[in-house]
Amino acid sequence: MAADVHKKKGWEVPNGSLAPGNGQHAERSESPTPGLAQGTEPGKGQSAGQEGAMFVHTRSYEDLTSPEDGGAVVRSPEERRGEPAEPTSMEQISKDFSELSTQLTGMALDLEEEMRQSQEGKLEPSPQATRHDSVLSGKEEEDVTMDTWRMHRKHVFVLSEAGKPVYSRYGSEEALSSTMGVMMALVSFLEAEKNAIRSIHADGYKVVFVRKSPLVLVAVARTRQSEQEIAHELLYIYYQILSLLTWTQLNHIFQQKQNYDLRRLLAGSERITDNLLDLMAHDPSFLMGAVRCLPLAASVRDAVSTSLQQAKAKSLVFSILLSGNQLVSLVRKKDQFLHPIDLHLLFNLISSSSSFREGEAWTPICLPKFNSSGFFHAHISYLEQEMDLCLLLVSTDREDFFTVSDCKRRFQERLRRRGVHHALQEALRTPFYSVAQVGIPDLRHFIYKSKSSGLFTSPEIEAPYVREEEKERLLGLYQYLHSRAHNSSRPLKNIYFTGPRENLLAWVTSAFELYICYSPLGTKAGAISAVNKLMKWIRKEEDRLFILTPQTY
Amino acid sequence: MSGRRVDAKVVLLGQEGVGKSSLVERCVHRRFRAGPYQNTIGAAFVAKVLSVGEQTVTLGIWDTAGSERYEAMSRIYYRGARAAIVCYDLTNSSSFQRAKFWVNELQNCEEGCRIYLCGTKSDLLEEDRRKRDVDFHDVQDYADEVKAEFFETSSKTGQNVDELFQKVAEDYVQFSAFQEMTEEKGVDLGQKSSSYLYGCCHH
């Protein structure tokens, strides 16, 4: 598949390590072995081969080690040589499964200890003062000298290499200019010695630095996330900025004027960045590096996809129909792939603004993973006022508005002719399914990701995770398991976690990743039979939960 | 395609937050949203049908983003526009300076585009006269100077909004009738000269 082709080319360095280069040789396990075992996991497209893939699928730690990085993160050659993935096959997957129970007994004690510690840290009150409703000028910024400001669980700062503030998640950038100056001083101080600062760990806080010249991104977090995961989120923020400006323009600006105040150009985009950070704290899409589909009968989805496919134009590259943050259908130009990161950025753009509800928007947008040097033009509109169904048509030609707008009209006409309108409306009424449908009493929630398609499925988060904090706590547990499973120095394939309020199980193979959360009273044996049942259920429902036959124009 | 046909392209320009989108919303949907500020991303297109005498005119209205980020792109939105509504906030003099910038830009790049200066948020002045930051007569003088029409509107109360767009539509009808008359002559001349040039090149 296309994704695998990329991997073979070595574009991707999965699990790129941010860990200090202490000479510890990485023993890799997230072995995305190309070609093998792909027929086994549910949710994978039937049409194997190049055209079957929806995305260029990657878990994007590669960004941290990519050449454009400017050498900020240097991996030792030994580490690189240690890369070849261990062979995996279909048999191995089934063997994995049978061995699951035996392996799980070897659950490390320190894991539990670690969890308890981080849970203690979580009990502190977290103030909910955000600036969602920021008004243009008089937006209410927090006083950065107050304790409430310090109590935020995750701060994010963006600054230029001259130390000028570009963005702060909480509090005004002006008030923080001296803080940001200190951050830049730290970065520069180490760079003078030909070193790079990656993180500072102190007092339950992680301070993570990501250097993306001409910007520096810093997070100060006391979440349970690993350093890599925080760095990954910072990269998203960087890509978010690129999507507004392009890499070329960003560099050009700072080449012209080193102490340029980038906030001038980013004015009005704070809301988009804020929204992205909030979304990352709630939506497992970002953690999984995958996209969730709206559950939809295969026949309806096919009708939608075909209608989209037929409403094409020469300049169109991607036609995307989405609802909430779920994908309904995606049609792409042959040989052009959309990276999940780019799609996440598009989802975020749409969910952060209500301005698309009116009329038809036509906006320049850079898809940084696709091409960070230029703008596409996106036609964004909702199909109907009251329906949460947004159509995104990505074109290469900025003069092509009326042609693309006509594509929308044609798409709607075809949709009407095929009479799927009603079925779509019906599906939108229940955008999430309940875990009860699976029929496993102790099962509370799960995340299943099909690696080859870059899609994942997950039920609605239900009781006892009702309050926002509880939901975030659950995602925090997944984040923790995910970071353990993908730890670059000691990756794990199976994790069984017993907590005071729930039990969790993680299972990572070359074809899929599965995380389940179930009752604390359940047994390990129960969990394993639950996994078995769950996999069967997903396979049965796969044509509803996934897009199995991606279309091209 | 008939539903898509647009007679005149109209573009809204002006500093961010002056209320371009609110103006469009009032004109097209006859409502005003008091909620939190939502900046426009890129530009939004809506069509509005108005009647002028016995004729109907479809205005294709481009509501552009005021953010500086999109400035380099703005040309694609105003290119070929028959009318530009250049907005400024009556309570903010810097927004009027910005409006002047757009007027200059239009005069340099889009000769055929008629300019309508629009001072927004006039309802705020009714609450408190001291809030006015842009003098009425100054703008009037400036409008005369650049041959622009001049309105003061409120999207909140709807004051002058319909009048503004009606004027845009009427001027379009009048102007295009005038253009048709002159164009015929122009085409004749053009054809002659181009065939002459064509011959020239061949010999």
Side-chain angles (χ1 to χ4, degrees):
Chain A
M1 306 208 100
D4 306 318
V5 171
H6 288 296
K7 282 169 190 158
K8 275 183 199 155
K9 282 182 188 163
W11 289 7
E12 182 200 38
V13 186
N15 257 340
S17 164
L18 261 186
N22 54 5
Q24 194 177 13
H25 289 216
E27 193 190 293
R28 293 202 44 266
S29 96
E30 192 209 50
S31 47
T33 332
L36 294 170
Q38 284 184 345
T40 56
E41 94 273 26
K44 177 211 167 299
Q46 289 152 346
S47 50
Q50 190 84 2
E51 292 311 312
M54 176 94 48
F55 313 111
V56 173
H57 163 246
T58 44
R59 176 78 178 102
S60 312
Y61 289 146
E62 90 273 24
D63 300 304
L64 298 169
T65 48
S66 67
E68 67 162 67
D69 196 65
V73 181
V74 185
R75 283 165 62 98
S76 65
E78 292 86 352
E79 233 174 313
R80 282 182 200 282
R81 238 179 282 132
E83 288 278 321
E86 47 192 81
T88 326
S89 64
M90 285 186 227
E91 299 90 278
Q92 183 142 6
I93 288 177
S94 45
K95 216 171 84 197
D96 279 349
F97 184 69
S98 61
E99 279 171 7
L100 190 57
S101 55
T102 46
Q103 288 178 12
L104 285 174
T105 28
M107 157 60 192
L109 271 174
D110 64 307
L111 200 88
E112 222 170 315
E113 189 57 32
E114 217 172 289
M115 289 298 278
R116 203 164 295 136
Q117 276 172 2
S118 51
Q119 243 157 9
E120 274 163 28
K122 283 200 62 161
L123 292 175
E124 297 162 39
S126 59
Q128 286 297 311
T130 48
R131 57 167 194 220
H132 286 294
D133 303 336
S134 66
V135 183
L136 184 63
S137 48
K139 74 177 172 192
E140 289 232 3
E141 293 283 17
E142 286 182 63
D143 186 345
V144 300
T145 57
M146 298 296 281
D147 269 352
T148 48
W149 184 81
R150 291 173 193 279
M151 297 301 285
H152 287 297
R153 296 193 358 101
K154 191 186 288 158
H155 283 275
V156 172
F157 309 96
V158 182
L159 44 144
S160 72
E161 278 169 339
K164 269 211 176 161
V166 173
Y167 169 82
S168 164
R169 187 180 190 185
Y170 306 109
S172 83
E173 290 85 12
E174 283 94 347
L176 291 161
S177 55
S178 58
T179 312
M180 299 214 196
V182 173
M183 290 172 184
M184 194 58 225
L186 277 170
V187 172
S188 311
F189 179 73
L190 279 141
E191 269 173 20
E193 303 280 312
K194 299 262 182 292
N195 277 321
I197 188 166
R198 284 165 176 169
S199 63
I200 302 170
H201 302 250
D203 199 20
Y205 284 86
K206 291 190 184 91
V207 184
V208 180
F209 294 81
V210 168
R211 184 86 150 75
K212 281 283 181 186
S213 183
L215 298 178
V216 178
L217 300 101
V218 185
V220 181
R222 46 189 188 88
T223 59
R224 183 179 292 165
Q225 288 165 292
S226 70
E227 185 188 316
Q228 276 123 311
E229 261 151 6
I230 295 168
H232 184 62
E233 291 192 358
L234 288 178
L235 266 178
Y236 260 104
I237 301 301
Y238 171 71
Y239 285 135
Q240 167 56 43
I241 293 170
L242 287 191
S243 80
L244 296 167
L245 299 176
T246 73
W247 184 81
T248 315
Q249 196 188 345
L250 182 69
N251 273 275
H252 181 73
I253 289 163
F254 282 104
Q255 267 162 20
Q256 299 285 307
K257 200 174 166 213
Q258 266 199 328
N259 62 349
Y260 185 82
D261 186 354
L262 196 62
R263 286 180 306 157
R264 276 179 59 183
L265 276 189
L266 293 176
S269 73
E270 299 88 348
R271 196 162 36 89
I272 306 174
T273 313
D274 290 349
N275 193 69
L276 179 60
L277 283 163
D278 291 343
L279 212 55
M280 285 194 286
H282 293 109
D283 188 336
S285 311
F286 298 88
L287 176 68
M288 303 312 296
V291 175
R292 176 156 40 182
C293 303
L294 178 82
L296 194 62
S299 60
V300 180
R301 202 188 308 272
D302 286 347
V304 172
S305 300
T306 313
S307 305
L308 262 188
Q309 186 192 28
Q310 285 167 347
K312 64 181 170 190
K314 224 170 154 187
S315 72
L316 274 190
V317 191
F318 301 111
S319 303
I320 304 159
L321 190 66
L322 55 113
S323 171
N325 283 319
Q326 303 195 97
L327 187 64
V328 180
S329 177
L330 187 152
V331 181
R332 55 178 179 79
K333 215 184 187 103
K334 250 192 179 142
D335 304 327
Q336 306 295 341
F337 296 92
L338 189 58
H339 195 285
I341 289 186
D342 287 339
L343 192 55
H344 287 155
L345 292 177
L346 290 172
F347 278 21
N348 178 58
L349 176 74
I350 287 161
S351 70
S352 64
S353 180
S354 63
S355 73
F356 301 120
R357 293 256 168 204
E358 311 294 336
E360 301 165 54
W362 182 243
T363 180
I365 180 145
C366 169
L367 299 175
K369 294 301 286 181
F370 189 92
N371 179 351
S372 62
S373 61
F375 280 118
F376 282 109
H377 266 71
H379 181 280
I380 306 169
S381 61
Y382 281 82
L383 289 193
E384 267 167 57
Q385 279 288 325
E386 300 310 318
M387 226 156 118
D388 187 15
L389 207 52
C390 184
L391 178 67
L392 219 149
L393 301 167
V394 181
S395 159
T396 52
D397 187 352
R398 64 184 194 177
E399 307 285 347
D400 238 10
F401 172 79
F402 286 102
T403 317
V404 175
S405 175
D406 195 50
C407 289
K408 180 203 172 178
R409 191 190 52 77
R410 275 158 46 208
F411 168 63
Q412 281 186 295
E413 213 174 87
R414 294 223 155 80
L415 216 54
R416 218 169 297 129
R417 272 214 304 263
R418 286 169 184 271
V420 288
H421 192 268
H422 184 72
L424 253 179
Q425 225 163 5
E426 206 50 42
L428 287 173
R429 212 162 292 154
T430 49
F432 298 98
Y433 56 94
S434 165
V435 71
Q437 287 184 24
V438 186
I440 302 170
D442 278 345
L443 186 66
R444 287 182 178 176
H445 191 256
F446 68 90
I447 300 176
Y448 171 87
K449 173 189 167 181
S450 150
K451 281 189 176 176
S452 61
S453 66
L455 299 170
F456 80 98
T457 186
S458 186
E460 190 170 16
I461 300 181
E462 290 165 281
Y465 310 99
V466 180
R467 286 180 307 143
E468 265 328 291
E469 306 92 90
E470 282 293 305
K471 286 181 183 173
E472 266 182 59
R473 193 177 66 82
L474 177 62
L475 188 67
L477 288 165
Y478 284 137
Q479 276 170 343
Y480 178 73
L481 290 184
H482 186 274
S483 68
R484 288 303 301 249
H486 295 273
N487 186 303
S488 51
S489 53
R490 198 162 70 101
L492 302 170
K493 283 183 173 176
N494 305 304
I495 304 169
Y496 182 75
F497 167 74
T498 315
R501 282 179 272 183
E502 59 275 289
N503 292 344
L504 287 104
L505 186 147
W507 185 22
V508 176
T509 75
S510 62
F512 63 86
E513 289 182 29
L514 177 67
Y515 302 85
I516 71 165
C517 167
Y518 69 105
S519 152
L521 302 172
T523 61
K524 199 179 292 173
I528 288 160
S529 81
V531 165
N532 203 1
K533 245 183 168 172
L534 179 59
M535 293 293 278
K536 275 189 193 138
W537 183 82
I538 294 172
R539 187 180 294 281
K540 192 169 76 107
E541 299 284 325
E542 63 177 347
D543 61 350
R544 193 170 66 89
L545 305 177
F546 294 95
I547 300 176
L548 297 178
T549 46
Q551 304 277 359
T552 57
Y553 297 125
Chain B
M1 277 302 280
S2 61
R4 268 273 153 256
R5 214 176 67 86
V6 165
D7 296 313
K9 180 173 177 179
V10 180
V11 63
L12 276 88
L13 297 167
Q15 187 177 302
E16 61 183 323
V18 297
K20 298 179 289 298
S21 301
S22 296
L23 195 65
V24 173
E25 179 128 352
R26 167 58 76 179
C27 164
V28 178
H29 300 287
R30 314 216 155 271
R31 63 181 174 206
F32 178 76
R33 221 180 290 212
Y37 173 74
Q38 281 271 331
N39 54 329
T40 306
I41 292 164
F45 176 85
V46 279
K48 165 88 178 168
V49 183
L50 289 167
S51 50
V52 179
E54 283 167 10
Q55 243 179 301
T56 57
V57 178
T58 309
L59 301 181
I61 303 170
W62 281 97
D63 171 24
T64 65
S67 167
E68 220 180 298
R69 181 166 68 247
Y70 299 106
E71 197 180 296
M73 300 273 167
S74 61
R75 202 166 149 60
I76 65 163
Y77 301 120
Y78 67 65
R79 182 185 297 144
R82 308 299 292 269
I85 299 173
V86 180
C87 301
Y88 63 94
D89 180 347
L90 285 166
T91 66
N92 175 352
S93 60
S94 77
S95 70
F96 184 59
Q97 296 309 314
R98 188 78 187 145
K100 285 182 173 173
F101 162 85
W102 284 117
V103 171
N104 276 331
E105 179 111 349
L106 288 165
Q107 285 183 322
N108 291 332
C109 306
E110 286 294 325
E111 273 181 71
C113 177
R114 297 180 65 84
I115 297 169
Y116 300 79
L117 281 167
C118 175
T120 59
K121 309 186 190 179
S122 68
D123 54 286
L124 292 179
L125 304 180
E126 264 149 49
E127 286 167 22
D128 183 356
R129 288 196 163 276
R130 282 167 302 176
K131 277 192 178 162
R132 182 182 274 277
D133 203 18
V134 183
D135 187 73
F136 179 85
H137 297 288
D138 286 353
V139 184
Q140 205 163 39
D141 291 349
Y142 179 70
D144 287 346
E145 193 187 310
V146 297
K147 299 193 185 64
E149 296 290 337
F150 167 38
F151 288 83
E152 287 193 350
T153 63
S154 164
S155 303
K156 192 172 179 181
T157 63
Q159 188 200 6
N160 256 343
V161 174
D162 287 344
E163 287 84 345
L164 166 66
F165 284 94
Q166 191 62 37
K167 176 78 177 151
V168 170
E170 281 167 12
D171 284 356
Y172 166 73
V173 171
Q174 213 181 342
F175 185 68
S176 52
F178 173 70
Q179 204 178 33
E180 265 168 43
M181 268 162 52
T182 49
E183 234 169 43
E184 260 177 307
K185 258 191 235 160
V187 169
D188 277 350
L189 280 171
Q191 268 173 345
K192 221 189 225 169
S193 66
S194 66
S195 62
Y196 172 69
L197 279 170
Y198 184 74
C200 233
C201 292
H202 265 258
H203 293 104

